[in-house]
Amino acid sequence: MRLDKYLAEMGAGTRKEIGKAVRAGRVTVNGQASKNAAMQVTAEDDVRLDGALIAYETFVYYMLNKPAGVISATEDARERTVLDLISERQRKGLFPVGRLDKDTEGLLLITNDGALAHRLLSPKHHVDKVYYARLDGPVGEAEKALFAQGLKVDDTLTALPADLEILTPATEVRVTIREGKFHQVKRMFEAVGREVLYLQRLSMGPLILDESLPKGGYRRLTEEEESAIMNV
Ligand code: URA
């Protein structure tokens, strides 16, 4: 592909910024400065901007700490989306893996790897998702047993067995579900007469929310995290 396209896809800047950098001789290909933005390069070439290696990666993986008030979509005419929070956005084709409600916070994986997303979301795989929830009243052993049995939520949803861990006070819980139906956690609590006042996703499979990420903050997955999710 063209050198300027390669750099733009790797998030090295806008086409205009990249054009300038190339003309200024700040870009090298295999050790030689290249002032030709149309030069053909491949993923095997050593491409550098100001001496820093810009490796060609096909897939990227970000952990986002989703704040309330943004929707889990790629674009929307009226609402802010989770992708509006990713500034390294020259990369095309990013999307959130699954959905969190607009008012739900916490862990959301953003990637351009469709096959991985498919595996993580497939009902066949039963990837554990752990949520922290604050409720409008306490729950106890009865609710725990109902969740553990596989709760009939309504005519359209009987949940798979879920773990309910009751925290202190008993209006706070950690719940582990193995599927991801629409408003699943809220509907499960509604079925036992409780309203979810606050919901935060803490983990998805082996991926655990990095508590040091501020709300709305994101970072690349570490190599360990990347290889852990590849093995799901
Ligand atoms: N369950 C819900 O009810 N909402 C979410 O955002 C995620 C799981």
Side-chain angles (χ1 to χ4, degrees):
M1 80 184 75
R2 286 172 58 111
L3 178 58
D4 54 358
K5 182 163 188 278
Y6 176 112
L7 289 165
E9 282 196 10
M10 292 310 105
T14 62
R15 277 289 178 110
K16 201 168 156 196
E17 289 162 352
I18 288 166
K20 258 193 188 165
V22 172
R23 282 193 300 279
R26 291 164 50 204
V27 176
T28 58
V29 178
N30 302 324
Q32 301 285 313
S34 170
K35 293 194 174 182
N36 176 13
M39 177 183 181
Q40 289 294 311
V41 291
T42 72
E44 272 70 56
D45 287 313
D46 179 301
V47 177
R48 289 172 193 259
L49 171 61
D50 296 329
L53 182 68
I54 313 270
Y56 194 86
E57 299 167 290
T58 314
F59 296 124
V60 286
Y61 308 92
Y62 297 105
M63 175 188 294
L64 171 72
N65 185 3
K66 179 191 174 296
V70 296
I71 63 167
S72 299
T74 52
E75 56 184 1
D76 193 90
R78 278 167 299 137
E79 307 264 16
R80 277 213 316 152
T81 75
V82 288
L83 284 194
D84 293 331
L85 299 170
I86 310 286
S87 57
E88 296 169 26
R89 224 157 91 64
Q90 293 83 355
R91 171 78 58 137
K92 292 194 191 77
L94 290 178
F95 59 87
V97 177
R99 281 164 191 267
L100 293 177
D101 296 337
K102 187 174 171 186
D103 60 354
T104 300
E105 299 190 330
L107 176 70
L108 194 61
L109 176 63
I110 308 273
T111 184
N112 56 348
D113 185 344
L116 174 76
H118 186 76
R119 274 206 310 286
L120 289 173
L121 297 175
S122 156
K124 274 190 298 201
H125 279 85
H126 296 167
V127 175
D128 279 7
K129 276 146 294 213
V130 182
Y131 292 87
Y132 163 82
R134 235 178 1 249
L135 310 170
D136 68 343
V139 284
E141 291 307 314
E143 288 79 10
K144 202 171 157 155
L146 286 168
F147 274 47
Q149 277 162 26
L151 184 67
K152 180 165 171 24
V153 172
D154 56 34
D155 289 342
T156 62
L157 175 62
T158 297
L160 288 174
D163 300 330
L164 184 59
E165 184 190 347
I166 301 165
L167 305 174
T168 311
T171 50
E172 294 182 25
V173 295
R174 251 193 304 268
V175 57
T176 305
I177 60 172
R178 304 190 164 89
E179 56 205 323
K181 302 278 165 53
F182 186 60
H183 296 328
Q184 173 143 358
V185 173
K186 291 175 186 166
R187 285 162 71 200
M188 287 175 76
F189 281 104
E190 210 176 286
V192 296
R194 285 284 169 241
E195 190 189 339
V196 172
L197 302 179
Y198 173 78
L199 190 61
Q200 180 192 33
R201 180 153 64 190
L202 302 173
S203 68
M204 180 165 75
L207 208 56
I208 297 165
L209 177 65
D210 180 343
E211 300 280 353
S212 72
L213 279 177
K215 283 177 193 171
Y218 67 92
R219 64 161 172 77
R220 293 278 193 122
L221 293 195
T222 63
E223 271 176 38
E224 291 75 28
E225 288 167 336
E226 243 185 74
S227 57
I229 54 165
M230 294 306 159
N231 289 320
V232 164

